[in-house]
Amino acid sequence: MRTSLILLSARLLDPVTGAFLPQTALAAADGRIAALGDDREIRALADASTTVIDLGGAVVTPGLVDGHIHPVTGAELTHGLDLSGCGDLDEVRAALADAVRDLPAGAWLHGWGLDPNVFAGRPVGVAPFDAVLEGVPALLLLFDAHSMLASRRALELAGVTGPRAFDQATAEVVCDADGRPTGLLLEDAACDLVERVAPQPTREERRERLAAALRAMAASGLTGGHVMDANGDSLAFFAELDEAGRLPLRLRVAPWCQPGADAEEVRALVARQGVGGRLWRTDGVKIFMDGTVDNGTAWLEQPDGRGESRHAFWPDPEEYTRIVGALHRAGVPTATHAIGDAAVRHVLDSVEKALAEGGPGPRHRVEHIETVPDDTLRRFAELGVVASMQPTHCCDFTRADHTDNWSRRLGEPRASRAWRCRDLLDSGAVVVLGSDWPIAPYPPLGVMAGARHRRPTRDLDRAPHGPEQALTAAQALRGMTVNAAYAAGEEHGAGRIAVGHRADLTVLAADPLTVPATELADVPVLLTVLDGAPTHRSASL
């Protein structure tokens, strides 16, 4: 066994205890931590081929893992005009005007990250931008990636002139009282009507965008991600990058199961489990139970303030229950997007039925869990269901005074039950943290910071939304290390700094457990190590 990497003069942080290990150095071999000790004894394990790095007292944590991420989709959707920094309609119009001036004649304009709060309670539609986008085919993705605005010219080119019927229960071409499209398209089926007529990047361009995004993720301190889709060329891209030695993250991929899936499709999903390469594998199935609160497609036990969010994503929710049962019996873990209280309850009911009929099995999980009543909390621990949370959504898309679109739609008391990270933890649930990139930024220090301060990233002086739901620094770190490993069934070989565990490591310039929450996102990432090899190294090392 040849030692590939040695780290010296390190402070090795155990996320379970929140304390530093007594050792100051580690050695990695064959992708695992081979030895822990003092600098002298570990240095003695080096040979001519070993990379030796003196960290000068920097802090080493287990590799940070994003519990919910869409790297291929994100690399595609974040190409174009970034509208995420726009706070009102005037700022959006100004950004669009600048982009239109530089746009070649006939070209499509793509924007992303549009916050519906810029409409300040007015109906979300393309009308406020008609003058700027006259004659320009444009697609503006809203921040939730479940909805977009299409310009009048884009709708014309796509032949979308009125409402449509879709198999997806919550998909809609939103129209005005006269039946004319407003430009707002809800869910994939509706968005695809216009997207499919827009020019598409080449396959090579898409793969290189993905490679660049993954390199940036590694530089932010990420060593892994739980990938919540396997659409299109995703698996082929992962395989190609892995074989070429260009995959800088360890990826656990869950392909989608959509409404209408028959028994043969379910069997195919089961057969795909375990397919992968050195640094990626298919493990689990992603299912949608609802849409989003912001566009009125969540599934709530009582309609939202506009009379919407009344339906499940599945036209027949009991069909979802049957599929969860079939996957459970086959030993396949499920990860279900469930945002509204009715959606979360139905997922938990379905898992409970699967356990009763099929016995113990894989670890299922619920993604997002934006608002749930008290009686739902304890069921996560009772059923062994992992709670996968994205706290930066609460930070950046809602407000403490509940004047934001999400809170206005829900009203009280549901808006006061926002992203109950702490309540879920206190009830015994395993809470995994992630970004849901491209919905929110992927840097893991920002995700952990948001879980602690719950303030808008762009204005940290503003009041936190639900400060009682803030996590401690140690809880936030566990959410991206040991808990992420547990959710993947890898707690015995990942998520901690221990001999025999994976040599996936993140090295920081300061202790993430003592840095103030509002300063954590700015702590420099000095080194990222995946499988015993650096994927990012600061010039200061």
Side-chain angles (χ1 to χ4, degrees), residues 482-496:
V482 289
N483 291 0
Y486 177 87
E490 299 172 341
E491 66 270 25
H492 299 299
R496 299 188 71 177

Side-chain angles (χ1 to χ4, degrees), residues 42-368:
I42 296 300
R43 187 189 291 272
L45 300 176
D47 60 26
S49 65
T50 304
T51 298
V52 179
I53 303 176
D54 190 318
L55 296 180
V59 175
V60 181
T61 73
L64 301 177
V65 175
D66 192 310
H68 187 121
I69 199 165
H70 302 270
V72 177
T73 304
E76 295 174 0
L77 297 184
T78 59
H79 182 74
L81 179 63
D82 182 0
L83 297 170
S84 63
C86 297
D88 56 37
L89 289 175
D90 287 340
E91 291 182 5
V92 177
R93 279 189 284 261
L96 292 175
D98 287 343
V100 167
R101 277 194 292 271
D102 297 330
L103 199 67
W108 284 63
L109 173 63
H110 292 268
W112 61 278
L114 180 62
D115 186 343
N117 285 305
V118 301
F119 291 88
R122 294 188 288 272
V124 177
V126 78
F129 315 126
D130 281 345
V132 178
L133 297 176
E134 184 177 2
V136 176
L139 290 176
L140 310 179
L141 188 71
L142 273 73
F143 81 84
D144 62 7
H146 282 249
S147 51
M148 64 172 50
L149 293 180
S151 68
R152 307 295 179 189
R153 178 57 176 158
L155 292 169
E156 178 185 356
L157 291 172
V160 178
T161 59
R164 299 283 183 94
F166 301 99
D167 290 336
Q168 288 181 356
T170 53
E172 182 182 359
V173 175
V174 178
C175 296
D176 61 21
D178 296 321
R180 293 187 297 263
T182 66
L184 178 60
L185 307 171
L186 304 181
E187 301 296 346
D188 291 341
C191 295
D192 184 61
L193 294 174
V194 183
E195 286 181 305
R196 65 190 178 199
V197 302
Q200 302 298 317
T202 67
R203 187 180 187 281
E204 182 178 2
E205 287 172 336
R206 293 172 55 234
R207 186 186 61 204
E208 292 310 305
R209 289 177 189 172
L210 170 63
L214 292 172
R215 287 194 301 271
M217 290 177 191
S220 76
L222 284 173
T223 63
H226 296 174
V227 178
M228 292 298 162
D229 61 66
N231 301 323
D233 295 318
S234 295
L235 299 185
F237 286 162
F238 297 150
E240 291 166 20
L241 293 175
D242 193 20
E243 290 167 7
R246 301 177 61 201
L247 191 59
L249 265 69
R250 191 184 303 277
L251 302 177
R252 178 179 186 260
V253 186
W256 286 358
C257 180
Q258 296 276 33
D262 57 21
E264 183 177 343
E265 290 176 88
V266 174
R267 284 193 293 270
L269 286 168
V270 174
R272 292 172 71 181
Q273 300 300 302
V275 172
R278 188 174 69 89
L279 292 171
W280 71 278
R281 78 175 190 278
T282 302
D283 186 8
V285 169
K286 167 74 179 298
I287 315 177
F288 289 86
M289 198 67 248
D290 65 351
T292 69
V293 169
D294 278 288
N295 67 23
T297 59
W299 186 19
L300 299 171
E301 294 180 335
Q302 298 296 327
D304 68 17
R306 299 183 186 178
E308 298 177 333
S309 285
R310 297 173 296 170
H311 305 291
F313 187 75
W314 288 66
D316 178 8
E318 291 309 311
E319 182 60 23
Y320 163 88
T321 301
R322 289 189 286 273
I323 285 178
V324 168
L327 292 170
H328 179 83
R329 290 190 296 274
V332 178
T334 61
T336 301
H337 167 122
I339 280 177
D341 45 17
V344 175
R345 190 182 302 279
H346 190 83
V347 176
L348 295 173
D349 288 346
S350 299
V351 172
E352 185 171 29
K353 184 175 182 180
L355 289 167
E357 296 178 351
R363 290 171 184 162
H364 302 287
R365 44 193 283 176
V366 181
E367 310 297 316
H368 309 310

